[in-house]
Amino acid sequence: MILVWMIASVFVALLFAAGAAILTRVGMLYRGVPLRFLWAGGIVASVAVAGWMAIPRATRSAAMERSLDAATMPPASPHEATRRLPEKVAQFPRPENIEVPELPANIELSLLAVWAASSVGFIVLLTRSLRRLRRDARLWRGAQVAATDVLVSEDFGPAVVGIYRPVIVVPEWVLASNEVVQRAIVVHETEHRLSGDHVLLLTGIAGVVLMPWNIGLWLSWRGLRHATELDCDARVVARGTDAGTYAGILLHALENSRGGMRLSVAFARRASGLGARVEHLLRREPRRKAMKTMIGIALAVVLSVAATAAPAIQERTHMRPAAHHPLVIIDGVKHAELEGLGSPGAPSRDQILEMQMLEPPVAEARFGAAAKYGVAIFYTKKYVAEGGQKAVIPGANHAAFKDEHVGERNSAIMNDLFKGIVLSQEAMSKARTLIGRERNASGSYWGPLPVAKRKSLIRHRDEQLRALLRSDDDRQRFDDQAAAWSTKELAR
């Protein structure tokens, strides 16, 4: 589902951005910590996790299954026996996935179209900015400032312009400044060029272009721009420039500099957080650094773990709209929160002795508005065995549950799906559990089950069953038999 994936991707990017912001605050407690790589790592991680989530779930599940199976395969030789992992690794609990309803195809296509249009529009905007910069560059002239070759513009800069051959551009007012100001500006831009900050910013903007709707990436890119300036300021001061003098030069540069969206690394601009830069330069030695560092790192780790867990969260996200299901009554007690036997907290099929169904008009007249979609009444074996009384409701449809019929049905499905395929005892047990789970979930939706939901349940079951197989021939045989079984089942 494209919408769920987009929401999950924003969630991931926001978590990584928050983690980078916390680590930046920790890094600012110390001198010389490269802050820009924290934000760049957040952008790369956000895109990587989003890409991982975009891979079809079946492919991811198969890859995870192979990794677990590889860890528990019998050793090839006695020398490898000591490196074998415990058998319990293969039984690591996997949370049950809750299916998300599929959006109509036209909505999915509309989202993709808007996404593509916004990315293309952003590329066009950046291209126009680059062309305007090249047009302005024809008017720039060469000069030497602080013994360094630079280009002089009318009012653009100071900045580093270019990717493959970056050059320093300074405005006219720099030529009229004193030697201290000129040296600080040139050293700052030279540090940008030597450190490859222009390439780092281009990498960050590429992530934003890829997913322009992702506000988390926008925040990370903004943080990256600010961090590159903080790092560069720290390197300039480390090379011998007085911090107080340098802060004054930054303020002077801001008063004379021109902004705008350019593919450049600028000396001073409002988007770079000039106030925070000056404050960072003139700050006193912070107190309680060790405690702040431990707390900050712990929070960042928690956020990063939460972000990397997003693929599982995405699969388990329950976004199904309110279902029109009957009111469930179990042993005489109403359970408005349940949708049927497959719902969490409901008894399993083998615990149920009898069921009664009331159609909506009769049900609503007897049980009120909560039963406007009908009533499903269940009586458990334990309740009846202990002398519980069953209500006799005129007009109710009765159905008895027989365990052997359920078992026979599940065995028939096993035979149809795995005909000609040899399974280990462990795999066979898992397969029976998965089939029973799917049958149980199907029984939680009384009345005509929507075809889309039925397909979803079958597809999810078959993905997990297929992951139990070891050879390509078995998987191909299973795919053919599963397709034939699904066609026959959905036609019933």
Side-chain angles (χ1 to χ4, degrees):
M1 305 358 169
I2 184 66
L3 179 60
V4 175
W5 177 83
M6 293 172 74
I7 294 173
S9 299
V10 172
F11 173 74
V12 167
L14 287 173
L15 287 178
F16 278 123
I22 293 173
L23 289 179
T24 297
R25 299 298 297 180
V26 171
M28 290 174 68
L29 299 174
Y30 304 88
R31 302 285 183 182
V33 176
L35 306 175
R36 61 195 184 280
F37 296 123
L38 300 175
W39 291 98
I43 293 175
V44 172
S46 298
V47 175
V49 174
W52 175 250
M53 291 190 297
I55 299 174
R57 183 175 60 193
T59 304
R60 294 207 308 266
S61 299
M64 294 173 68
E65 289 284 351
R66 285 195 298 271
S67 66
L68 288 173
D69 292 338
T72 57
M73 284 292 286
S77 67
H79 299 288
E80 295 180 5
T82 57
R83 297 200 297 270
R84 182 175 177 180
L85 296 179
E87 291 293 336
K88 289 186 177 180
V89 173
Q91 301 172 6
F92 188 85
R94 298 182 180 87
E96 182 66 19
N97 297 319
I98 299 176
E99 294 292 338
V100 180
E102 297 183 6
L103 291 176
N106 58 341
I107 296 181
E108 295 272 333
L109 291 176
S110 298
L111 286 173
L112 291 174
V114 172
W115 179 0
S118 57
S119 293
V120 171
F122 199 6
I123 292 174
V124 170
L125 182 62
L126 291 175
T127 303
R128 290 182 60 185
S129 177
L130 179 61
R131 296 172 77 176
R132 186 171 72 243
L133 189 63
R134 287 181 175 177
R135 182 191 61 201
D136 294 345
R138 298 191 186 101
L139 305 177
W140 299 344
R141 57 185 175 84
Q144 271 209 342
V145 176
T148 303
D149 292 330
V150 301
L151 293 177
V152 181
S153 68
E154 182 178 353
D155 59 356
F156 175 73
V160 173
V161 175
I163 302 299
Y164 299 107
R165 296 179 181 178
V167 295
I168 298 174
V169 182
V170 298
E172 288 281 357
W173 62 263
V174 173
L175 301 182
S177 303
N178 59 49
E179 184 179 346
V180 175
V181 173
Q182 291 181 352
R183 181 181 179 279
I185 290 175
V186 170
V187 169
H188 180 97
E189 300 304 334
T190 300
E191 286 292 334
H192 272 314
R193 184 171 60 181
L194 294 177
S195 299
D197 289 343
H198 53 292
V199 177
L200 200 60
L201 288 174
L202 181 66
T203 303
I205 199 66
V208 176
V209 170
L210 188 62
M211 292 186 283
W213 39 264
N214 194 325
I215 188 174
L217 287 178
W218 279 99
L219 293 175
S220 292
W221 185 60
R222 181 179 179 182
L224 175 62
R225 295 178 65 194
H226 179 47
T228 57
E229 299 301 333
L230 288 175
D231 288 351
C232 195
D233 293 341
R235 294 194 299 271
V236 171
V237 171
R239 291 184 59 171
T241 303
D242 177 71
T245 302
Y246 183 68
I249 294 172
L250 285 176
L251 294 172
H252 176 67
L254 178 64
E255 295 174 357
N256 295 277
S257 295
R258 173 165 69 93
M261 179 175 279
R262 303 296 179 97
L263 294 179
S264 61
V265 183
F267 178 80
R269 55 174 55 171
R270 297 184 190 279
S272 300
L274 187 62
R277 292 170 63 185
V278 172
E279 181 182 356
H280 183 58
L281 287 169
L282 302 179
R283 79 186 191 283
R284 297 179 180 180
E285 186 66 21
R287 300 172 58 186
R288 301 177 180 177
K289 289 198 297 186
M291 183 182 68
K292 293 178 181 178
T293 300
M294 288 188 294
I295 294 175
I297 291 177
L299 288 175
V301 168
V302 170
L303 292 173
S304 299
V305 170
T308 54
I313 296 173
Q314 177 206 17
E315 290 183 5
R316 298 196 304 272
T317 300
H318 192 350
M319 296 186 64
R320 184 170 58 214
H324 294 171
H325 57 82
L327 171 66
V328 176
I329 300 176
I330 301 175
D331 296 338
V333 180
K334 296 181 182 179
H335 293 272
E337 76 280 5
L338 299 181
E339 297 181 9
L341 287 183
S343 303
S348 60
R349 277 180 176 270
D350 58 357
Q351 295 175 312
I352 298 295
L353 177 67
E354 185 177 332
M355 169 192 135
Q356 298 178 20
M357 289 291 298
L358 272 179
E359 297 300 324
V362 178
E364 187 173 9
R366 185 178 181 90
F367 295 97
K372 63 181 178 179
Y373 299 114
V375 171
I377 303 173
F378 300 97
Y379 294 101
T380 64
K381 298 174 183 177
K382 181 180 179 181
Y383 174 79
V384 175
E386 293 177 350
Q389 297 297 313
K390 296 186 293 182
V392 179
I393 303 176
N397 298 318
H398 292 258
F401 285 74
K402 296 184 179 180
D403 297 341
E404 61 272 16
H405 289 179
V406 174
E408 291 173 3
R409 178 59 179 159
N410 291 351
S411 297
I413 297 174
M414 280 281 295
N415 293 335
D416 288 343
L417 295 179
F418 293 100
K419 185 177 180 180
I421 299 174
V422 178
L423 294 175
S424 65
Q425 289 295 327
E426 182 182 2
M428 187 177 298
S429 177
K430 287 184 179 180
R432 291 186 183 279
T433 300
L434 293 172
I435 291 173
R437 188 179 297 164
E438 179 268 321
R439 299 293 297 171
N440 198 37
S442 297
S444 68
Y445 293 86
W446 299 104
L449 187 66
V451 175
K453 180 61 184 179
R454 187 78 175 101
K455 286 182 178 179
S456 179
L457 290 171
I458 294 173
R459 182 175 66 249
H460 178 51
R461 179 204 66 191
D462 290 347
E463 288 173 359
Q464 294 180 302
L465 291 175
R466 192 178 189 275
L468 300 175
L469 303 178
R470 296 290 179 267
S471 69
D472 292 337
D473 290 341
D474 284 348
R475 295 189 187 98
Q476 184 59 53
R477 183 187 296 270
F478 175 83
D479 290 342
D480 295 339
Q481 293 173 171
W485 184 90
S486 299
T487 302
K488 179 180 66 174
E489 179 72 10
L490 293 173
R492 294 175 59 181

